Each structure stands twice: as C-alpha cells, then as structure tokens.
Amino acid sequence: MPQIKRNKRFHAEIATSSLSDIMFFLLLFFLIISTLANPNVIKMTLPKAKATEKTNKQHITLSVTEDKKFYLDKQEVSFDNLETTLLSKLGETKDQAVIVRIPYNLQVQDLVDVLQIGVKNNLKFVIATSAGK
C-alpha cells in the first residue's frame, strides 16, 4: 500500500500591516495630551518643599529663568514692564492667584523684588515648588 504524502502544512501568520498605523495614532495622541497638560510651563528646577498644595482655580503663571528673564504665561516681559503687564492681565478683579515659578539657585533678592509687586498691588502670590522627599 503506497503512502500518501501531505503537502499542506499549517503556517501561523500575524497580520502586522495595521500595526504601524496604530502606533502612529498612539504616539500622536500622547504628544497632544502631553502638550495640553500644562501649556504655560517653562522648564526650570524649582525649590523643594515637604508638603505641596494644588489649586484648581484660574491663575496666571509668572516664571523667572536663571538668566533673570521674566515670563507671564510664556510671554516674555521686561522687569520694568512686569507690574503694568501683570495688572492688565488680571484686569479689574484681582481675585486670581499669581503662581511665581523661580529657580532654586536664584538670589533671595530676586524673589523679593517680584513679591514686592504683589505686596504693592495687594495681589495673591503663590510660590511654586517641586515635591521633595
């Protein structure tokens, strides 16, 4: 009796044609979400605090870089025009908090100069810190 040979073998296949499309959309999604998370942030190293408090209120961010450039919500402002620009952004109601983001290695006098604007105009200033351990 002659043997019958089978020529058909089962080959497992994985369809990867749409994998690149899925990866592209995931990458795009995460890039968009990461920029929407906090669009008014300028990268800097903040001082550390043992306890931090989060705010859900509307606020204006005042960032000071290590080379003493001042930014109000990512818009560069000279120190001479800082007070007038800040007051115009706040408008009539000075109810908003101004989040001051200043690098940990700047002099205390630089922080005091910024905070004097808030004291002079009766504004609410909050110093941003990073959570320390």
Side-chain angles (χ1 to χ4, degrees), residues 57-96:
K57 292 183 177 180
Q58 191 82 330
H59 59 269
I60 294 176
T61 304
L62 169 60
S63 302
V64 183
T65 60
E66 290 183 11
D67 53 349
K68 296 182 184 179
K69 290 185 180 178
F70 298 88
Y71 294 89
L72 278 174
D73 292 336
K74 281 193 164 183
Q75 176 189 356
E76 188 172 356
V77 179
S78 67
F79 184 75
D80 299 332
N81 296 331
L82 183 62
E83 184 176 359
T84 56
T85 309
L86 182 61
L87 290 174
S88 68
K89 273 195 177 249
L90 286 171
E92 289 294 318
T93 59
K94 297 176 182 174
D95 198 27
Q96 289 180 312

PDB file of all heavy atoms in Angstrom, residues 57-96:
ATOM      1  N   LYS A  57      -8.056  76.694  40.823  1.00  0.00           N
ATOM      2  CA  LYS A  57      -8.533  78.000  40.371  1.00  0.00           C
ATOM      3  C   LYS A  57      -7.769  78.452  39.134  1.00  0.00           C
ATOM      4  O   LYS A  57      -6.682  77.985  38.838  1.00  0.00           O
ATOM      5  CB  LYS A  57      -8.359  79.039  41.477  1.00  0.00           C
ATOM      6  CG  LYS A  57      -9.246  78.816  42.663  1.00  0.00           C
ATOM      7  CD  LYS A  57      -9.040  79.930  43.657  1.00  0.00           C
ATOM      8  CE  LYS A  57      -9.969  79.765  44.841  1.00  0.00           C
ATOM      9  NZ  LYS A  57      -9.786  80.841  45.808  1.00  0.00           N
ATOM     10  N   GLN A  58      -8.361  79.411  38.453  1.00  0.00           N
ATOM     11  CA  GLN A  58      -7.701  80.055  37.322  1.00  0.00           C
ATOM     12  C   GLN A  58      -6.546  80.888  37.862  1.00  0.00           C
ATOM     13  O   GLN A  58      -6.699  81.600  38.844  1.00  0.00           O
ATOM     14  CB  GLN A  58      -8.720  80.943  36.604  1.00  0.00           C
ATOM     15  CG  GLN A  58      -8.270  81.453  35.288  1.00  0.00           C
ATOM     16  CD  GLN A  58      -8.463  80.431  34.187  1.00  0.00           C
ATOM     17  OE1 GLN A  58      -8.417  79.252  34.409  1.00  0.00           O
ATOM     18  NE2 GLN A  58      -8.676  80.908  32.992  1.00  0.00           N
ATOM     19  N   HIS A  59      -5.401  80.797  37.235  1.00  0.00           N
ATOM     20  CA  HIS A  59      -4.263  81.561  37.729  1.00  0.00           C
ATOM     21  C   HIS A  59      -3.375  82.000  36.584  1.00  0.00           C
ATOM     22  O   HIS A  59      -3.474  81.512  35.476  1.00  0.00           O
ATOM     23  CB  HIS A  59      -3.461  80.739  38.739  1.00  0.00           C
ATOM     24  CG  HIS A  59      -2.948  79.454  38.174  1.00  0.00           C
ATOM     25  ND1 HIS A  59      -3.654  78.288  38.254  1.00  0.00           N
ATOM     26  CD2 HIS A  59      -1.811  79.161  37.524  1.00  0.00           C
ATOM     27  CE1 HIS A  59      -2.975  77.325  37.662  1.00  0.00           C
ATOM     28  NE2 HIS A  59      -1.852  77.829  37.200  1.00  0.00           N
ATOM     29  N   ILE A  60      -2.506  82.942  36.901  1.00  0.00           N
ATOM     30  CA  ILE A  60      -1.511  83.440  35.947  1.00  0.00           C
ATOM     31  C   ILE A  60      -0.156  82.949  36.434  1.00  0.00           C
ATOM     32  O   ILE A  60       0.127  82.970  37.632  1.00  0.00           O
ATOM     33  CB  ILE A  60      -1.551  84.982  35.884  1.00  0.00           C
ATOM     34  CG1 ILE A  60      -2.878  85.431  35.291  1.00  0.00           C
ATOM     35  CG2 ILE A  60      -0.386  85.516  35.076  1.00  0.00           C
ATOM     36  CD1 ILE A  60      -3.058  86.923  35.271  1.00  0.00           C
ATOM     37  N   THR A  61       0.681  82.496  35.512  1.00  0.00           N
ATOM     38  CA  THR A  61       1.999  81.991  35.868  1.00  0.00           C
ATOM     39  C   THR A  61       3.052  83.042  35.573  1.00  0.00           C
ATOM     40  O   THR A  61       3.146  83.533  34.448  1.00  0.00           O
ATOM     41  CB  THR A  61       2.309  80.705  35.078  1.00  0.00           C
ATOM     42  OG1 THR A  61       1.280  79.763  35.313  1.00  0.00           O
ATOM     43  CG2 THR A  61       3.625  80.113  35.513  1.00  0.00           C
ATOM     44  N   LEU A  62       3.830  83.380  36.582  1.00  0.00           N
ATOM     45  CA  LEU A  62       4.965  84.289  36.437  1.00  0.00           C
ATOM     46  C   LEU A  62       6.228  83.458  36.626  1.00  0.00           C
ATOM     47  O   LEU A  62       6.483  82.953  37.710  1.00  0.00           O
ATOM     48  CB  LEU A  62       4.900  85.417  37.476  1.00  0.00           C
ATOM     49  CG  LEU A  62       6.130  86.311  37.626  1.00  0.00           C
ATOM     50  CD1 LEU A  62       6.450  87.008  36.317  1.00  0.00           C
ATOM     51  CD2 LEU A  62       5.929  87.319  38.721  1.00  0.00           C
ATOM     52  N   SER A  63       6.985  83.271  35.549  1.00  0.00           N
ATOM     53  CA  SER A  63       8.196  82.456  35.594  1.00  0.00           C
ATOM     54  C   SER A  63       9.422  83.344  35.456  1.00  0.00           C
ATOM     55  O   SER A  63       9.445  84.265  34.652  1.00  0.00           O
ATOM     56  CB  SER A  63       8.194  81.433  34.453  1.00  0.00           C
ATOM     57  OG  SER A  63       7.063  80.608  34.534  1.00  0.00           O
ATOM     58  N   VAL A  64      10.425  83.044  36.278  1.00  0.00           N
ATOM     59  CA  VAL A  64      11.699  83.746  36.224  1.00  0.00           C
ATOM     60  C   VAL A  64      12.764  82.702  35.902  1.00  0.00           C
ATOM     61  O   VAL A  64      12.876  81.701  36.593  1.00  0.00           O
ATOM     62  CB  VAL A  64      12.025  84.439  37.566  1.00  0.00           C
ATOM     63  CG1 VAL A  64      13.315  85.229  37.462  1.00  0.00           C
ATOM     64  CG2 VAL A  64      10.881  85.329  38.011  1.00  0.00           C
ATOM     65  N   THR A  65      13.535  82.929  34.856  1.00  0.00           N
ATOM     66  CA  THR A  65      14.567  81.965  34.481  1.00  0.00           C
ATOM     67  C   THR A  65      15.868  82.281  35.213  1.00  0.00           C
ATOM     68  O   THR A  65      15.985  83.312  35.869  1.00  0.00           O
ATOM     69  CB  THR A  65      14.809  81.992  32.957  1.00  0.00           C
ATOM     70  OG1 THR A  65      15.232  83.294  32.577  1.00  0.00           O
ATOM     71  CG2 THR A  65      13.552  81.616  32.196  1.00  0.00           C
ATOM     72  N   GLU A  66      16.827  81.396  35.079  1.00  0.00           N
ATOM     73  CA  GLU A  66      18.105  81.573  35.766  1.00  0.00           C
ATOM     74  C   GLU A  66      18.862  82.810  35.279  1.00  0.00           C
ATOM     75  O   GLU A  66      19.639  83.402  36.012  1.00  0.00           O
ATOM     76  CB  GLU A  66      18.968  80.325  35.608  1.00  0.00           C
ATOM     77  CG  GLU A  66      18.424  79.147  36.377  1.00  0.00           C
ATOM     78  CD  GLU A  66      19.305  77.921  36.280  1.00  0.00           C
ATOM     79  OE1 GLU A  66      20.444  78.040  35.795  1.00  0.00           O
ATOM     80  OE2 GLU A  66      18.849  76.858  36.698  1.00  0.00           O
ATOM     81  N   ASP A  67      18.643  83.200  34.015  1.00  0.00           N
ATOM     82  CA  ASP A  67      19.288  84.407  33.495  1.00  0.00           C
ATOM     83  C   ASP A  67      18.399  85.646  33.667  1.00  0.00           C
ATOM     84  O   ASP A  67      18.543  86.631  32.952  1.00  0.00           O
ATOM     85  CB  ASP A  67      19.712  84.216  32.040  1.00  0.00           C
ATOM     86  CG  ASP A  67      18.572  83.746  31.153  1.00  0.00           C
ATOM     87  OD1 ASP A  67      17.511  83.360  31.684  1.00  0.00           O
ATOM     88  OD2 ASP A  67      18.739  83.762  29.926  1.00  0.00           O
ATOM     89  N   LYS A  68      17.468  85.572  34.620  1.00  0.00           N
ATOM     90  CA  LYS A  68      16.592  86.668  35.050  1.00  0.00           C
ATOM     91  C   LYS A  68      15.726  87.238  33.925  1.00  0.00           C
ATOM     92  O   LYS A  68      15.580  88.454  33.790  1.00  0.00           O
ATOM     93  CB  LYS A  68      17.409  87.784  35.715  1.00  0.00           C
ATOM     94  CG  LYS A  68      18.081  87.339  36.991  1.00  0.00           C
ATOM     95  CD  LYS A  68      18.826  88.476  37.632  1.00  0.00           C
ATOM     96  CE  LYS A  68      19.576  87.971  38.851  1.00  0.00           C
ATOM     97  NZ  LYS A  68      20.332  89.018  39.492  1.00  0.00           N
ATOM     98  N   LYS A  69      15.159  86.343  33.135  1.00  0.00           N
ATOM     99  CA  LYS A  69      14.143  86.750  32.164  1.00  0.00           C
ATOM    100  C   LYS A  69      12.785  86.444  32.782  1.00  0.00           C
ATOM    101  O   LYS A  69      12.600  85.417  33.421  1.00  0.00           O
ATOM    102  CB  LYS A  69      14.320  85.983  30.849  1.00  0.00           C
ATOM    103  CG  LYS A  69      15.556  86.400  30.089  1.00  0.00           C
ATOM    104  CD  LYS A  69      15.620  85.703  28.757  1.00  0.00           C
ATOM    105  CE  LYS A  69      16.866  86.130  28.003  1.00  0.00           C
ATOM    106  NZ  LYS A  69      16.998  85.445  26.736  1.00  0.00           N
ATOM    107  N   PHE A  70      11.834  87.333  32.588  1.00  0.00           N
ATOM    108  CA  PHE A  70      10.519  87.220  33.212  1.00  0.00           C
ATOM    109  C   PHE A  70       9.489  86.846  32.147  1.00  0.00           C
ATOM    110  O   PHE A  70       9.463  87.439  31.067  1.00  0.00           O
ATOM    111  CB  PHE A  70      10.131  88.535  33.885  1.00  0.00           C
ATOM    112  CG  PHE A  70      11.075  88.921  34.992  1.00  0.00           C
ATOM    113  CD1 PHE A  70      12.213  89.676  34.727  1.00  0.00           C
ATOM    114  CD2 PHE A  70      10.835  88.509  36.283  1.00  0.00           C
ATOM    115  CE1 PHE A  70      13.088  90.024  35.733  1.00  0.00           C
ATOM    116  CE2 PHE A  70      11.711  88.851  37.303  1.00  0.00           C
ATOM    117  CZ  PHE A  70      12.842  89.607  37.029  1.00  0.00           C
ATOM    118  N   TYR A  71       8.621  85.877  32.471  1.00  0.00           N
ATOM    119  CA  TYR A  71       7.586  85.414  31.558  1.00  0.00           C
ATOM    120  C   TYR A  71       6.248  85.412  32.282  1.00  0.00           C
ATOM    121  O   TYR A  71       6.130  84.878  33.377  1.00  0.00           O
ATOM    122  CB  TYR A  71       7.881  83.993  31.068  1.00  0.00           C
ATOM    123  CG  TYR A  71       9.106  83.882  30.205  1.00  0.00           C
ATOM    124  CD1 TYR A  71      10.361  83.644  30.745  1.00  0.00           C
ATOM    125  CD2 TYR A  71       9.006  83.990  28.822  1.00  0.00           C
ATOM    126  CE1 TYR A  71      11.485  83.538  29.956  1.00  0.00           C
ATOM    127  CE2 TYR A  71      10.126  83.877  28.021  1.00  0.00           C
ATOM    128  CZ  TYR A  71      11.359  83.654  28.598  1.00  0.00           C
ATOM    129  OH  TYR A  71      12.469  83.543  27.800  1.00  0.00           O
ATOM    130  N   LEU A  72       5.246  86.001  31.643  1.00  0.00           N
ATOM    131  CA  LEU A  72       3.867  85.906  32.120  1.00  0.00           C
ATOM    132  C   LEU A  72       3.131  84.992  31.159  1.00  0.00           C
ATOM    133  O   LEU A  72       2.892  85.366  30.003  1.00  0.00           O
ATOM    134  CB  LEU A  72       3.199  87.282  32.145  1.00  0.00           C
ATOM    135  CG  LEU A  72       3.491  88.158  33.346  1.00  0.00           C
ATOM    136  CD1 LEU A  72       2.878  89.533  33.158  1.00  0.00           C
ATOM    137  CD2 LEU A  72       2.988  87.515  34.611  1.00  0.00           C
ATOM    138  N   ASP A  73       2.802  83.794  31.616  1.00  0.00           N
ATOM    139  CA  ASP A  73       2.152  82.787  30.765  1.00  0.00           C
ATOM    140  C   ASP A  73       2.881  82.632  29.426  1.00  0.00           C
ATOM    141  O   ASP A  73       2.301  82.784  28.357  1.00  0.00           O
ATOM    142  CB  ASP A  73       0.683  83.132  30.517  1.00  0.00           C
ATOM    143  CG  ASP A  73      -0.147  83.010  31.777  1.00  0.00           C
ATOM    144  OD1 ASP A  73       0.266  82.263  32.688  1.00  0.00           O
ATOM    145  OD2 ASP A  73      -1.208  83.643  31.844  1.00  0.00           O
ATOM    146  N   LYS A  74       4.159  82.381  29.470  1.00  0.00           N
ATOM    147  CA  LYS A  74       5.031  82.146  28.306  1.00  0.00           C
ATOM    148  C   LYS A  74       5.301  83.389  27.465  1.00  0.00           C
ATOM    149  O   LYS A  74       5.908  83.312  26.419  1.00  0.00           O
ATOM    150  CB  LYS A  74       4.489  81.029  27.409  1.00  0.00           C
ATOM    151  CG  LYS A  74       4.765  79.651  27.915  1.00  0.00           C
ATOM    152  CD  LYS A  74       4.479  78.661  26.817  1.00  0.00           C
ATOM    153  CE  LYS A  74       5.103  77.333  27.142  1.00  0.00           C
ATOM    154  NZ  LYS A  74       4.908  76.365  26.091  1.00  0.00           N
ATOM    155  N   GLN A  75       4.840  84.548  27.867  1.00  0.00           N
ATOM    156  CA  GLN A  75       5.099  85.788  27.139  1.00  0.00           C
ATOM    157  C   GLN A  75       6.209  86.534  27.881  1.00  0.00           C
ATOM    158  O   GLN A  75       6.059  86.882  29.048  1.00  0.00           O
ATOM    159  CB  GLN A  75       3.831  86.640  27.084  1.00  0.00           C
ATOM    160  CG  GLN A  75       4.032  87.985  26.442  1.00  0.00           C
ATOM    161  CD  GLN A  75       2.800  88.865  26.602  1.00  0.00           C
ATOM    162  OE1 GLN A  75       1.788  88.453  27.127  1.00  0.00           O
ATOM    163  NE2 GLN A  75       2.915  90.087  26.133  1.00  0.00           N
ATOM    164  N   GLU A  76       7.321  86.781  27.193  1.00  0.00           N
ATOM    165  CA  GLU A  76       8.451  87.442  27.844  1.00  0.00           C
ATOM    166  C   GLU A  76       8.133  88.909  28.102  1.00  0.00           C
ATOM    167  O   GLU A  76       7.604  89.605  27.242  1.00  0.00           O
ATOM    168  CB  GLU A  76       9.715  87.319  26.993  1.00  0.00           C
ATOM    169  CG  GLU A  76      10.952  87.805  27.708  1.00  0.00           C
ATOM    170  CD  GLU A  76      12.231  87.519  26.944  1.00  0.00           C
ATOM    171  OE1 GLU A  76      12.186  86.876  25.891  1.00  0.00           O
ATOM    172  OE2 GLU A  76      13.288  87.971  27.422  1.00  0.00           O
ATOM    173  N   VAL A  77       8.462  89.349  29.318  1.00  0.00           N
ATOM    174  CA  VAL A  77       8.195  90.718  29.745  1.00  0.00           C
ATOM    175  C   VAL A  77       9.447  91.223  30.466  1.00  0.00           C
ATOM    176  O   VAL A  77      10.063  90.484  31.229  1.00  0.00           O
ATOM    177  CB  VAL A  77       6.988  90.761  30.717  1.00  0.00           C
ATOM    178  CG1 VAL A  77       6.721  92.176  31.186  1.00  0.00           C
ATOM    179  CG2 VAL A  77       5.758  90.171  30.089  1.00  0.00           C
ATOM    180  N   SER A  78       9.802  92.482  30.229  1.00  0.00           N
ATOM    181  CA  SER A  78      10.940  93.053  30.958  1.00  0.00           C
ATOM    182  C   SER A  78      10.495  93.355  32.390  1.00  0.00           C
ATOM    183  O   SER A  78       9.309  93.538  32.661  1.00  0.00           O
ATOM    184  CB  SER A  78      11.436  94.321  30.269  1.00  0.00           C
ATOM    185  OG  SER A  78      10.463  95.332  30.371  1.00  0.00           O
ATOM    186  N   PHE A  79      11.458  93.413  33.302  1.00  0.00           N
ATOM    187  CA  PHE A  79      11.104  93.665  34.703  1.00  0.00           C
ATOM    188  C   PHE A  79      10.457  95.033  34.879  1.00  0.00           C
ATOM    189  O   PHE A  79       9.580  95.202  35.723  1.00  0.00           O
ATOM    190  CB  PHE A  79      12.343  93.544  35.600  1.00  0.00           C
ATOM    191  CG  PHE A  79      12.017  93.703  37.057  1.00  0.00           C
ATOM    192  CD1 PHE A  79      11.389  92.684  37.745  1.00  0.00           C
ATOM    193  CD2 PHE A  79      12.309  94.886  37.725  1.00  0.00           C
ATOM    194  CE1 PHE A  79      11.068  92.825  39.094  1.00  0.00           C
ATOM    195  CE2 PHE A  79      11.987  95.038  39.068  1.00  0.00           C
ATOM    196  CZ  PHE A  79      11.371  94.004  39.753  1.00  0.00           C
ATOM    197  N   ASP A  80      10.863  96.013  34.072  1.00  0.00           N
ATOM    198  CA  ASP A  80      10.285  97.361  34.164  1.00  0.00           C
ATOM    199  C   ASP A  80       8.800  97.361  33.806  1.00  0.00           C
ATOM    200  O   ASP A  80       8.012  98.123  34.368  1.00  0.00           O
ATOM    201  CB  ASP A  80      11.039  98.326  33.244  1.00  0.00           C
ATOM    202  CG  ASP A  80      12.512  98.445  33.637  1.00  0.00           C
ATOM    203  OD1 ASP A  80      12.825  98.256  34.828  1.00  0.00           O
ATOM    204  OD2 ASP A  80      13.344  98.724  32.749  1.00  0.00           O
ATOM    205  N   ASN A  81       8.403  96.504  32.849  1.00  0.00           N
ATOM    206  CA  ASN A  81       7.007  96.446  32.411  1.00  0.00           C
ATOM    207  C   ASN A  81       6.220  95.338  33.090  1.00  0.00           C
ATOM    208  O   ASN A  81       5.052  95.129  32.777  1.00  0.00           O
ATOM    209  CB  ASN A  81       6.943  96.230  30.894  1.00  0.00           C
ATOM    210  CG  ASN A  81       7.534  97.388  30.130  1.00  0.00           C
ATOM    211  OD1 ASN A  81       7.518  98.527  30.595  1.00  0.00           O
ATOM    212  ND2 ASN A  81       8.073  97.108  28.960  1.00  0.00           N
ATOM    213  N   LEU A  82       6.839  94.627  34.016  1.00  0.00           N
ATOM    214  CA  LEU A  82       6.200  93.472  34.646  1.00  0.00           C
ATOM    215  C   LEU A  82       4.950  93.860  35.422  1.00  0.00           C
ATOM    216  O   LEU A  82       3.898  93.231  35.276  1.00  0.00           O
ATOM    217  CB  LEU A  82       7.200  92.762  35.566  1.00  0.00           C
ATOM    218  CG  LEU A  82       6.718  91.492  36.242  1.00  0.00           C
ATOM    219  CD1 LEU A  82       6.378  90.436  35.207  1.00  0.00           C
ATOM    220  CD2 LEU A  82       7.781  90.964  37.181  1.00  0.00           C
ATOM    221  N   GLU A  83       5.026  94.912  36.201  1.00  0.00           N
ATOM    222  CA  GLU A  83       3.892  95.324  37.032  1.00  0.00           C
ATOM    223  C   GLU A  83       2.689  95.737  36.188  1.00  0.00           C
ATOM    224  O   GLU A  83       1.569  95.290  36.426  1.00  0.00           O
ATOM    225  CB  GLU A  83       4.306  96.459  37.960  1.00  0.00           C
ATOM    226  CG  GLU A  83       3.233  96.880  38.916  1.00  0.00           C
ATOM    227  CD  GLU A  83       3.716  97.935  39.893  1.00  0.00           C
ATOM    228  OE1 GLU A  83       4.902  98.332  39.849  1.00  0.00           O
ATOM    229  OE2 GLU A  83       2.889  98.369  40.717  1.00  0.00           O
ATOM    230  N   THR A  84       2.923  96.577  35.181  1.00  0.00           N
ATOM    231  CA  THR A  84       1.799  97.039  34.358  1.00  0.00           C
ATOM    232  C   THR A  84       1.195  95.902  33.532  1.00  0.00           C
ATOM    233  O   THR A  84      -0.019  95.818  33.396  1.00  0.00           O
ATOM    234  CB  THR A  84       2.248  98.179  33.417  1.00  0.00           C
ATOM    235  OG1 THR A  84       3.356  97.729  32.633  1.00  0.00           O
ATOM    236  CG2 THR A  84       2.644  99.404  34.201  1.00  0.00           C
ATOM    237  N   THR A  85       2.044  95.016  33.001  1.00  0.00           N
ATOM    238  CA  THR A  85       1.534  93.888  32.219  1.00  0.00           C
ATOM    239  C   THR A  85       0.749  92.931  33.105  1.00  0.00           C
ATOM    240  O   THR A  85      -0.312  92.425  32.708  1.00  0.00           O
ATOM    241  CB  THR A  85       2.696  93.134  31.535  1.00  0.00           C
ATOM    242  OG1 THR A  85       3.510  94.062  30.828  1.00  0.00           O
ATOM    243  CG2 THR A  85       2.191  92.091  30.570  1.00  0.00           C
ATOM    244  N   LEU A  86       1.237  92.688  34.313  1.00  0.00           N
ATOM    245  CA  LEU A  86       0.550  91.800  35.246  1.00  0.00           C
ATOM    246  C   LEU A  86      -0.806  92.368  35.644  1.00  0.00           C
ATOM    247  O   LEU A  86      -1.820  91.656  35.653  1.00  0.00           O
ATOM    248  CB  LEU A  86       1.420  91.576  36.479  1.00  0.00           C
ATOM    249  CG  LEU A  86       0.881  90.642  37.548  1.00  0.00           C
ATOM    250  CD1 LEU A  86       0.677  89.244  36.984  1.00  0.00           C
ATOM    251  CD2 LEU A  86       1.831  90.591  38.726  1.00  0.00           C
ATOM    252  N   LEU A  87      -0.839  93.650  35.934  1.00  0.00           N
ATOM    253  CA  LEU A  87      -2.107  94.277  36.323  1.00  0.00           C
ATOM    254  C   LEU A  87      -3.105  94.292  35.165  1.00  0.00           C
ATOM    255  O   LEU A  87      -4.306  94.142  35.378  1.00  0.00           O
ATOM    256  CB  LEU A  87      -1.861  95.693  36.839  1.00  0.00           C
ATOM    257  CG  LEU A  87      -1.145  95.779  38.192  1.00  0.00           C
ATOM    258  CD1 LEU A  87      -0.831  97.218  38.540  1.00  0.00           C
ATOM    259  CD2 LEU A  87      -1.972  95.120  39.271  1.00  0.00           C
ATOM    260  N   SER A  88      -2.623  94.478  33.942  1.00  0.00           N
ATOM    261  CA  SER A  88      -3.543  94.456  32.799  1.00  0.00           C
ATOM    262  C   SER A  88      -4.071  93.047  32.543  1.00  0.00           C
ATOM    263  O   SER A  88      -5.213  92.884  32.122  1.00  0.00           O
ATOM    264  CB  SER A  88      -2.868  95.019  31.551  1.00  0.00           C
ATOM    265  OG  SER A  88      -1.837  94.157  31.118  1.00  0.00           O
ATOM    266  N   LYS A  89      -3.256  92.018  32.813  1.00  0.00           N
ATOM    267  CA  LYS A  89      -3.733  90.637  32.649  1.00  0.00           C
ATOM    268  C   LYS A  89      -4.764  90.282  33.708  1.00  0.00           C
ATOM    269  O   LYS A  89      -5.707  89.554  33.450  1.00  0.00           O
ATOM    270  CB  LYS A  89      -2.572  89.645  32.715  1.00  0.00           C
ATOM    271  CG  LYS A  89      -1.898  89.422  31.401  1.00  0.00           C
ATOM    272  CD  LYS A  89      -1.019  88.190  31.470  1.00  0.00           C
ATOM    273  CE  LYS A  89      -0.413  87.936  30.131  1.00  0.00           C
ATOM    274  NZ  LYS A  89      -0.915  86.753  29.495  1.00  0.00           N
ATOM    275  N   LEU A  90      -4.567  90.792  34.920  1.00  0.00           N
ATOM    276  CA  LEU A  90      -5.514  90.499  35.993  1.00  0.00           C
ATOM    277  C   LEU A  90      -6.826  91.255  35.807  1.00  0.00           C
ATOM    278  O   LEU A  90      -7.876  90.774  36.195  1.00  0.00           O
ATOM    279  CB  LEU A  90      -4.899  90.862  37.344  1.00  0.00           C
ATOM    280  CG  LEU A  90      -3.821  89.918  37.847  1.00  0.00           C
ATOM    281  CD1 LEU A  90      -3.140  90.502  39.072  1.00  0.00           C
ATOM    282  CD2 LEU A  90      -4.395  88.567  38.166  1.00  0.00           C
ATOM    283  N   GLY A  91      -6.767  92.429  35.219  1.00  0.00           N
ATOM    284  CA  GLY A  91      -7.983  93.208  34.990  1.00  0.00           C
ATOM    285  C   GLY A  91      -8.494  93.838  36.275  1.00  0.00           C
ATOM    286  O   GLY A  91      -7.747  94.089  37.215  1.00  0.00           O
ATOM    287  N   GLU A  92      -9.796  94.089  36.324  1.00  0.00           N
ATOM    288  CA  GLU A  92     -10.415  94.745  37.473  1.00  0.00           C
ATOM    289  C   GLU A  92     -10.417  93.846  38.706  1.00  0.00           C
ATOM    290  O   GLU A  92     -10.148  94.293  39.802  1.00  0.00           O
ATOM    291  CB  GLU A  92     -11.860  95.163  37.133  1.00  0.00           C
ATOM    292  CG  GLU A  92     -11.953  96.305  36.154  1.00  0.00           C
ATOM    293  CD  GLU A  92     -11.407  97.592  36.736  1.00  0.00           C
ATOM    294  OE1 GLU A  92     -11.676  97.889  37.923  1.00  0.00           O
ATOM    295  OE2 GLU A  92     -10.703  98.317  36.013  1.00  0.00           O
ATOM    296  N   THR A  93     -10.757  92.566  38.503  1.00  0.00           N
ATOM    297  CA  THR A  93     -10.802  91.648  39.651  1.00  0.00           C
ATOM    298  C   THR A  93      -9.416  91.082  39.893  1.00  0.00           C
ATOM    299  O   THR A  93      -8.861  90.387  39.062  1.00  0.00           O
ATOM    300  CB  THR A  93     -11.783  90.485  39.372  1.00  0.00           C
ATOM    301  OG1 THR A  93     -11.349  89.792  38.211  1.00  0.00           O
ATOM    302  CG2 THR A  93     -13.191  90.976  39.178  1.00  0.00           C
ATOM    303  N   LYS A  94      -8.851  91.417  41.007  1.00  0.00           N
ATOM    304  CA  LYS A  94      -7.522  90.914  41.364  1.00  0.00           C
ATOM    305  C   LYS A  94      -7.673  89.672  42.240  1.00  0.00           C
ATOM    306  O   LYS A  94      -6.940  89.463  43.185  1.00  0.00           O
ATOM    307  CB  LYS A  94      -6.730  92.001  42.082  1.00  0.00           C
ATOM    308  CG  LYS A  94      -6.486  93.209  41.198  1.00  0.00           C
ATOM    309  CD  LYS A  94      -5.790  94.299  41.944  1.00  0.00           C
ATOM    310  CE  LYS A  94      -5.616  95.499  41.039  1.00  0.00           C
ATOM    311  NZ  LYS A  94      -5.075  96.642  41.721  1.00  0.00           N
ATOM    312  N   ASP A  95      -8.679  88.854  41.889  1.00  0.00           N
ATOM    313  CA  ASP A  95      -9.006  87.672  42.679  1.00  0.00           C
ATOM    314  C   ASP A  95      -8.145  86.474  42.295  1.00  0.00           C
ATOM    315  O   ASP A  95      -8.020  85.539  43.065  1.00  0.00           O
ATOM    316  CB  ASP A  95     -10.493  87.348  42.474  1.00  0.00           C
ATOM    317  CG  ASP A  95     -11.007  86.440  43.562  1.00  0.00           C
ATOM    318  OD1 ASP A  95     -10.445  86.471  44.666  1.00  0.00           O
ATOM    319  OD2 ASP A  95     -11.969  85.696  43.302  1.00  0.00           O
ATOM    320  N   GLN A  96      -7.563  86.513  41.108  1.00  0.00           N
ATOM    321  CA  GLN A  96      -6.759  85.392  40.642  1.00  0.00           C
ATOM    322  C   GLN A  96      -5.446  85.304  41.406  1.00  0.00           C
ATOM    323  O   GLN A  96      -4.903  86.305  41.845  1.00  0.00           O
ATOM    324  CB  GLN A  96      -6.433  85.539  39.151  1.00  0.00           C
ATOM    325  CG  GLN A  96      -7.613  85.326  38.235  1.00  0.00           C
ATOM    326  CD  GLN A  96      -7.197  85.500  36.796  1.00  0.00           C
ATOM    327  OE1 GLN A  96      -6.538  86.467  36.462  1.00  0.00           O
ATOM    328  NE2 GLN A  96      -7.590  84.576  35.950  1.00  0.00           N
TER     329      GLN A  96
END
